[in-house]
């Protein structure tokens, strides 16, 4: 394994924090999907599975960059506290907002200072997906609070996840290519 260059030490610490966060978000969202399925809120379950898959992709991307910079990707998976589906959606939204508003902007700023293209790319892909997750979780919360189970929140539905960067879309063929990483749309994973 290559030695860690001094200018990469903080970037690697940030990547490790992001790796742990994304790995735990994946585990949490999969558990939340099971609860939403049990509650019959199938659209929320589909959303949790799609976001969970995106988080898994982010974690893998962060791990790859950690290794390329001479570090080792490891983390602790924490136990998941499962509540009602509405509470789980609110917890997920809170986590996504933290990543969008605080974590990834700070990590991107630090990586940009050191012109670390690998870290910039993985952080940017994750940030853009988290923005979509936050919007969708917010939508799901509003629908559930309004009792609109006849909307997309109540029925299983398809979400589309970029296998390269984790960008998530709720519409088929939104673009010809991923707007974040340029992956062809036909390679997107369909998550239900």
């Amino acid at each position: 394994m290559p030695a860690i260059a001094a200018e990469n030490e903080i970037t690697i610490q940030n990547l490790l924090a992001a790796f742990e966060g994304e790995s735990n978000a994946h585990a949490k969202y999969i558990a939340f999907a099971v609860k939403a399925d049990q509650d019959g809120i199938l659209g929320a379950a589909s959303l949790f599975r799609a976001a969970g898959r995106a988080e898994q992709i982010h974690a893998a991307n962060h791990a790859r960059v950690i290794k390329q910079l001479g570090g080792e990707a490891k983390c602790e998976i924490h136990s998941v506290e499962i509540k009602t589906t509405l509470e789980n959606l609110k917890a997920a939204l809170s986590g996504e907002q933290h990543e969008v508003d605080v974590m990834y902007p700070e990590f991107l700023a630090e990586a940009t200072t050191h012109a670390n293209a690998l870290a910039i790319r993985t952080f940017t892909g994750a940030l853009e997906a988290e923005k979509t997750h936050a919007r969708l979780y917010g939508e799901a919360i509003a629908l559930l609070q309004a009792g609109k189970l006849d909307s997309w929140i109540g029925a299983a539905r398809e979400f589309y996840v970029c296998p390269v960067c984790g960008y998530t879309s709720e519409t088929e063929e939104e673009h010809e290519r991923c707007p974040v990483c340029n992956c062809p749309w036909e390679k997107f994973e369909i998550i239900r």
Side-chain angles (χ1 to χ4, degrees):
M1 188 172 325
I4 297 172
E7 66 271 12
N8 291 332
E9 286 179 11
I10 293 173
T11 302
I12 289 175
Q13 288 173 10
N14 291 343
L15 283 160
L16 285 166
F19 174 72
E20 182 157 330
E22 300 292 2
S23 297
N24 277 282
H26 170 257
K28 185 185 320 183
Y29 293 167
I30 297 309
F32 288 175
V34 171
K35 173 66 172 153
D37 277 330
Q38 291 168 348
D39 292 347
I41 307 171
L42 306 180
S46 298
L47 174 56
F48 281 131
R49 278 189 286 278
R53 176 63 182 127
E55 309 302 7
Q56 189 178 40
I57 291 166
H58 300 157
N61 288 344
H62 297 340
R64 189 170 26 264
V65 175
I66 290 165
K67 185 175 181 181
Q68 289 171 327
L69 296 178
E72 181 183 352
K74 54 186 172 183
C75 70
E76 179 183 342
I77 302 298
H78 307 285
S79 62
V80 177
E81 184 178 2
I82 301 169
K83 297 183 178 180
T84 68
T85 294
L86 179 58
E87 289 171 310
N88 293 341
L89 284 165
K90 288 179 178 180
L93 175 58
S94 176
E96 299 294 327
Q97 280 304 145
H98 173 74
E99 290 178 340
V100 168
D101 297 339
V102 179
M103 188 180 90
Y104 280 120
E106 288 177 3
F107 290 177
L108 269 165
E110 190 282 329
T112 301
T113 298
H114 292 98
N116 191 315
L118 296 170
I120 291 168
R121 183 171 40 246
T122 192
F123 289 151
T124 298
L127 174 61
E128 293 306 313
E130 307 309 8
K131 289 176 184 176
T132 302
H133 298 164
R135 179 180 57 78
L136 290 168
Y137 284 137
E139 232 178 83
I141 290 165
L143 291 169
L144 199 53
Q145 286 178 323
K148 296 189 176 185
L149 291 176
D150 59 340
S151 68
W152 71 261
I153 194 74
R157 65 170 300 180
E158 293 179 345
F159 287 91
Y160 305 86
V161 178
C162 177
V164 175
C165 72
Y167 175 80
T168 307
S169 175
E170 71 271 30
T171 56
E172 186 174 6
E173 297 190 33
E174 182 177 285
H175 309 278
E176 243 180 76
R177 303 181 84 71
C178 176
V180 177
C181 72
N182 209 30
C183 175
W185 189 264
E186 61 269 10
K187 293 190 180 209
F188 272 51
E189 297 175 16
I190 300 171
I191 309 292
R192 190 169 174 88

